Each structure stands twice: as C-alpha cells, then as structure tokens.
Amino acid sequence: LNPKLNTVEIVIQKDFLKDRVSQWKKAGETIGFVPTMGALHEGHLDLVRRAQADCNRIVVSIFVNPLQFNNAGDLAKYPRHLESDQQLLRGLGVDLVYAPSTEDFYTFHPKLNLDFGSVSAGLEGQMRPGHFSGVGIVVARLFHLVNPDRAYFGAKDLQQVAVIRTLVRDLDFPVKIIRCPTVRGSGGLALSSRNARLSPEGIVLAENLFKALQLAAADPSPDPSESIRNSIGFLTNLGGIDIEYMHWVNTETMEIWENPAAPPPEKAVCIAAWVEGVRLIDNLIC
Ligand code: AMP
C-alpha cells in the first residue's frame, strides 16, 4: 500500500506552499513540479508519473492563467473540474496541489511584457498575441513559489517548451526542464482538454492531424516545403478541417525550417487546425 495515498494537501495560500516546500528542501528532498490548468487527462497524469519516477516530492499546480488567454471567450469556456482533478491526483499519491484563485495568485495586474524573440514570434505566438508573455510570467512566478528541482512539460505544446527553456536559461532559474512525450488516444489524436468539445465524428476527423504529421515525416522529398504541401493536400481533400498553419521548425529556436540543405539539429513538424469550431494543435518531433 502506498502510504502517501489520500494524503494530498490542497493549498491556496502562497506562504503555506513556500513553507511546505522549504521543509522538504531542508530534509534534502528533491521537488518535481507539474504546472497545469486543470481538467486533467492522461497526458497530465503521465507528466506526474514521470515526475514521481525522478523526484521525492511532487507539486502539481492547477491554475487557469488569465494572462495567457488572448480571447475572453476562450477563457470563459475553459473547463474547470477541480474536484475530480483532486481525486485523480490523490489517487496518484501527489504530495501537494497548489490551486489558487486568480486573486490569490495575482494580487496586482502584472505590467511586464515578455518577448522571447524568434522562439515566440511564429506559430502559436503569432496566432495568439501575448500568449507566451502570459505563459512566461505565470511559470516564472510559479517557479519562485515552488522552487522545483525539475519541472515537467508536455511536448504537445512544443513552442511552450522552447519558451520555458529560454526563460530558464536567460533568467538563470535553478530548475531542469523535462520535455515529456505527447500522450495520444488510440486513434492518434493528441489528448487535450479541448477534445471534449468534439463529437465522435469530429474525433475521427481530427485523428487525421496526426496522420498528416506522420505523412510529412515520412515524405521522401528532401524539400521540407514539399512535404508540408503534400500533407496539407491530404487534409484538404478530407474536408472539414481548417488548417491555420503547418510548418517544419527547429525545436530549439522555433524558426521555420525551409532550406533542405540546412536541417536543424532537432526538427519537428507542427500543425494548428480547426475541427468543429475547436482549435487543435499537434506536432511530431523527428
Ligand atoms: P495545460 O493544462 O493544457 O496547460 O497543460 C499542462 C501540461 O500538460 C503542459 O505541459 C502540456 O504540454 C501538458 N500536456 C497537455 N496535453 C498533453 C498530452 N496529450 N501529452 C503530454 N502532455 C500534455
């Protein structure tokens, strides 16, 4: 029997969180941190399990960060399932869940505007102005509070990982960032809280996004733009999928890879598309 089961602490106050973490640190324990916006699914739980494999104590935050929403309607529609999220985390034996209200977390409105250069210029950063500034501010503030040794992020949000790595390097946060593989449903659709808004037919249609990524990765053409054109052609022929962007990128700089003669050290093909009015993103790292 796991002795930690059912002992998860739900914390709202910053000072309590800081005290608890400093007790653990004094005892020489390592802290693993998984930041989330809740509505937890198997993708989030996988991050928690990976953290548990590496660290003595696990902190999960559940906070829907208004600063990273550039669309008030999207923020209002964001699912909130605090009770069932806590049950799931209790079942995993997480030590502490930090779930502040917006007012607890932001006692004033931050004025800072973060620009990550090329890392945040394209893809999600271009389509969602201000999004990564909001992500950077919330993650920096969470890192100050939780003071983790390791923090776990999903490759599903690949540009977010690049943004956080830039934040940590440029501001010298003493934390190791762990990028964890994307968890998918049986048909290949990347798990996301937004999938709940898709009909069963929409899910089947959305599964083609992963097929398109696999097609691009397997394309025999040495020209990255050619493989993107072929994949976009495949999706367009299906009907019902509106592609917002599809690009090959350098996973560190997030710059678009176009020159066949100069492939990046690590590359990924990234897509954003709309299915049944739901915006979905996915990528495949090669
Ligand atoms: P969110 O609650 O959407 O802010 O996501 C919290 C963390 O879970 C982020 O690091 C995401 O990248 C990660 N995540 C979300 N979906 C998945 C997934 N399908 N597989 C792996 N990680 C994920």
Side-chain angles (χ1 to χ4, degrees):
L1 197 69
N2 182 342
K4 281 203 273 175
L5 277 185
N6 301 321
T7 61
V8 64
E9 282 185 294
I10 314 294
V11 174
I12 290 165
Q13 301 301 331
K14 284 180 188 145
D15 288 345
F16 188 95
L17 168 67
K18 288 205 271 192
D19 281 354
R20 183 60 88 233
V21 170
S22 75
Q23 283 169 8
W24 290 336
K25 290 240 160 185
K26 275 195 201 113
E29 295 180 306
T30 54
I31 317 289
F33 179 42
V34 181
T36 81
M37 297 205 297
L40 302 181
H41 52 64
E42 199 44 47
H44 300 110
L45 302 187
D46 188 64
L47 300 182
V48 171
R49 289 191 199 99
R50 286 170 190 272
Q52 286 175 317
D54 297 339
C55 306
N56 302 119
R57 296 287 184 175
I58 308 303
V59 176
V60 175
S61 63
I62 298 179
F63 179 59
V64 182
N65 173 35
L67 288 192
Q68 71 188 71
F69 286 81
N70 55 317
N71 175 324
D74 199 23
L75 173 61
K77 268 192 285 184
Y78 204 84
R80 287 163 170 86
H81 306 149
L82 195 54
E83 282 293 314
S84 51
D85 288 349
Q86 288 173 5
Q87 288 292 345
L88 286 169
L89 296 172
R90 187 171 291 130
L92 285 184
V94 163
D95 296 275
L96 190 154
V97 176
Y98 177 52
S101 69
T102 305
E103 295 70 30
D104 289 314
F105 191 76
Y106 294 117
T107 48
F108 57 91
H109 188 82
K111 291 200 167 44
L112 199 60
N113 196 358
L114 298 177
D115 181 344
F116 297 87
S118 76
V119 176
S120 66
L123 311 177
E124 292 304 288
Q126 187 176 353
M127 295 299 163
R128 305 176 65 189
H131 170 67
F132 286 120
S133 178
V135 167
I137 290 170
V138 76
V139 171
R141 289 176 68 103
L142 286 167
F143 282 175
H144 283 312
L145 292 173
V146 178
N147 194 10
D149 297 282
R150 298 158 81 94
Y152 296 76
F153 292 86
K156 158 90 169 33
D157 299 286
L158 191 65
Q159 193 172 15
Q160 174 167 276
V161 175
V163 160
I164 303 301
R165 287 200 162 138
T166 306
L167 181 86
V168 163
R169 197 197 49 211
D170 288 7
L171 297 180
D172 204 17
F173 279 97
V175 54
K176 188 169 162 58
I177 301 303
I178 315 289
R179 182 183 76 191
C180 304
T182 300
V183 177
R184 301 178 179 283
S186 54
L189 178 62
L191 299 189
S192 162
S193 332
R194 293 165 197 259
N195 296 355
R197 285 164 37 209
L198 294 170
S199 72
E201 298 74 32
I203 289 182
V204 173
L205 190 57
E207 286 169 350
N208 289 292
L209 298 184
F210 184 48
K211 290 198 186 122
L213 295 174
Q214 289 175 307
L215 267 181
D219 197 292
S221 166
D223 179 359
S225 309
E226 173 74 17
S227 66
I228 295 291
R229 271 194 298 278
N230 293 337
S231 288
I232 289 180
F234 161 74
L235 289 175
T236 310
N237 282 337
L238 297 170
I241 301 178
D242 279 330
I243 303 160
E244 206 170 76
Y245 64 72
M246 184 169 188
H247 295 298
W248 280 103
V249 298
N250 175 328
T251 61
E252 191 193 334
T253 63
M254 292 310 287
E255 284 163 328
I256 294 174
W257 172 46
E258 284 172 319
N259 180 356
E266 184 187 59
K267 56 188 187 288
V269 55
C270 301
I271 192 166
W274 293 81
V275 175
E276 295 183 334
V278 182
R279 188 172 186 277
L280 302 169
I281 61 167
D282 198 358
N283 67 81
L284 189 58
I285 299 167
C286 299

